[in-house]
Amino acid sequence: MRSWPEPKSDAQLTEPPRRPQKFQYLKQERAIARHEVREIEQRHTMDGPRQEAALDEEEDMVIIYNRVPKTASTSFTNIAYDLCAKNKYHVLHINTTKNNPVMSLQDQVRFVKNITSWKEMKPGFYHGHVSYLDFAKFGVKKKPIYINVIRDPIERLVSYYYFLRFGDDYRPGLRRRKQGDKKTFDECVAEGGSDCAPEKLWLQIPFFCGHSSECWNVGSRWAMDQAKYNLINEYFLVGVTEELEDFIMLLEAALPRFFRGATELYRTGKKSHLRKTTEKKLPTKQTIAKLQQSDIWKMENEFYEFALEQFQFIRAHAVREKDGDLYILAQNFFYEKIYPKSN
């Protein structure tokens, strides 16, 4: 006759299930590994030099934000200015003559020398409308950290078009180059005007491509490929204007030496850092469709989509969403099996 197991009591039913022995072992192994790491860290703090070297590395840090015009660059830069005194770093604006993004060869040498040897300005955050410059070409061993933000190409051009005519709420009294011209962006495109020509879209690619002549050859496939290469290999992080808060959040998590408190400032500050172009009118679907027929838009948009995909990939591996809000993930790795064993 088959025997059935005794029914569980109420107390047994309310007890949490016991972890399998395998999980108990893994938990114990992790605890041992953490203990070993702590012992090694304590040994190194006794000798001092390594810890001092790590601190020196942080204090020697330089960030370059080679801002693309009309991508919320002023809004983001003002956050850096708001935080510099509290987080103890310097902010310097790279002001080039007539906002020329290409430096002469001699200015490139001067700039590289300034960035690398101006110890009084370290840690430093440099920003300006300057195309990417490869510091390795000048024999520099420790290169600066490059960051940037880009924007939907047509939206960027529309914003720039109206900015030249009406300015913005950041410096409302400043007279702009095209002030007095009341022509809308739609009218400009319909008439084939120069300020709204497809060639004016060619800006984000050369900014990332750099100082080579081919970078500024409008419609160059080589320039776009080089810009993509630099974005992946030479830039620490590239965000998009449409998701600026997430860009700031990632920077705070990864580079707290500079950006500690940036997310909170962006969310709850007085919004003094926000800058908006005045009198901007959105283009019609017909205007957008006409611009999208050009090969230049197709290339700039391909680069934008490439940058957006990369940014979203980084964000997906760094944050989690809960109740509509994003949260930075805690450290998700640890060290174990550390040899030789300490005595």
Side-chain angles (χ1 to χ4, degrees):
M1 183 176 178
R2 184 175 181 180
S3 60
W4 297 94
E6 290 290 328
K8 292 185 178 181
S9 65
D10 291 341
Q12 287 174 315
L13 288 171
T14 57
E15 287 179 359
R18 292 185 179 180
R19 284 178 173 268
Q21 192 172 0
K22 178 183 177 183
F23 290 104
Q24 295 287 359
Y25 170 75
L26 288 174
K27 187 177 180 182
Q28 184 180 18
E29 190 180 51
R30 289 193 178 194
I32 293 170
R34 291 192 191 99
H35 176 70
E36 290 173 347
V37 170
R38 280 195 297 269
E39 282 189 337
I40 290 172
E41 287 174 342
Q42 288 170 2
R43 281 207 310 274
H44 290 322
T45 53
M46 296 295 288
D47 358 290
R50 288 198 182 186
Q51 187 184 33
E52 289 177 10
L55 288 173
D56 289 343
E57 281 285 314
E58 201 170 64
E59 297 307 304
D60 196 44
M61 191 181 297
V62 172
I63 294 175
I64 296 181
Y65 172 35
N66 63 316
R67 315 158 40 174
V68 179
K70 304 314 297 175
T71 57
S73 62
T74 300
S75 301
F76 173 63
T77 301
N78 283 346
I79 291 176
Y81 276 112
D82 289 345
L83 292 173
C84 66
K86 180 181 177 181
N87 290 345
K88 298 181 180 179
Y89 61 87
H90 297 88
V91 181
L92 299 90
H93 178 215
I94 310 160
N95 190 352
T96 60
T97 304
K98 296 182 179 179
N99 283 331
N100 186 355
V102 178
M103 289 182 173
S104 67
L105 184 61
Q106 58 270 31
D107 274 349
Q108 293 177 41
V109 174
R110 295 185 187 109
F111 180 61
V112 170
K113 185 176 181 180
N114 288 155
I115 292 286
T116 54
S117 62
W118 199 357
K119 294 182 180 179
E120 293 79 7
M121 291 296 110
K122 292 181 179 180
F125 180 96
Y126 291 76
H127 66 96
H129 298 312
V130 182
S131 59
Y132 169 77
L133 184 62
D134 182 8
F135 276 59
K137 289 173 61 176
F138 301 87
V140 173
K141 292 182 180 179
K142 183 180 179 182
K143 298 193 292 186
I145 296 172
Y146 267 93
I147 62 172
N148 216 327
V149 177
I150 69 171
R151 188 176 185 178
D152 175 275
I154 293 179
E155 289 184 7
R156 193 205 65 77
L157 180 59
V158 171
S159 181
Y160 188 64
Y161 178 88
Y162 285 109
F163 173 75
L164 291 179
R165 286 153 176 78
F166 302 102
D168 55 28
D169 56 4
Y170 185 62
R171 290 185 290 180
L174 187 64
R175 183 173 179 83
R176 300 297 172 179
R177 183 153 49 94
K178 296 283 185 175
Q179 189 167 327
D181 182 2
K182 304 294 184 181
K183 188 182 298 181
T184 67
F185 187 81
D186 288 329
E187 291 169 343
C188 178
V189 172
E191 296 172 9
S194 59
D195 284 347
C196 55
E199 289 77 13
K200 294 292 185 181
L201 292 167
W202 189 258
L203 191 67
Q204 298 187 128
I205 286 176
F207 256 73
F208 278 80
C209 179
H211 277 68
S212 300
S213 62
E214 187 66 17
C215 295
W216 299 89
N217 185 359
V218 178
S220 168
R221 172 64 59 172
W222 181 90
M224 186 180 70
D225 291 341
Q226 184 64 39
K228 286 181 177 181
Y229 175 88
N230 288 342
L231 186 148
I232 295 296
N233 295 283
E234 304 296 343
Y235 280 80
F236 180 78
L237 184 65
V238 176
V240 293
T241 304
E242 297 79 6
E243 298 173 12
L244 188 61
E245 182 178 325
D246 296 353
F247 172 71
I248 294 170
M249 181 189 295
L250 290 174
L251 283 177
E252 180 173 0
L255 299 172
R257 177 66 183 80
F258 285 82
F259 299 104
R260 185 178 292 106
T263 308
E264 186 68 15
L265 177 63
Y266 182 82
R267 288 175 176 171
T268 64
K270 295 180 180 179
K271 303 298 182 184
S272 59
H273 53 275
L274 295 180
R275 181 179 186 177
K276 294 180 180 179
T277 301
T278 55
E279 300 290 333
K280 184 168 65 176
K281 297 177 181 177
L282 296 178
T284 63
K285 292 181 179 179
Q286 291 82 359
T287 297
I288 294 173
K290 187 172 181 179
L291 286 172
Q292 288 177 341
Q293 291 173 5
S294 73
D295 291 336
I296 299 170
W297 173 82
K298 291 174 183 176
M299 295 181 72
E300 276 281 346
N301 190 65
E302 181 181 334
F303 179 68
Y304 169 76
E305 294 288 346
F306 179 83
L308 176 61
E309 182 181 358
Q310 175 67 8
F311 175 70
Q312 291 178 340
F313 176 84
I314 292 173
R315 183 181 61 187
H317 287 80
V319 302
R320 286 292 178 269
E321 185 176 354
K322 183 179 180 182
D323 299 328
D325 292 325
L326 294 179
Y327 296 90
I328 292 292
L329 289 175
Q331 182 170 315
N332 203 25
F333 72 93
F334 65 95
Y335 302 101
E336 61 180 6
K337 298 179 182 178
I338 302 171
Y339 289 86
K341 296 290 185 180
S342 57
N343 296 329

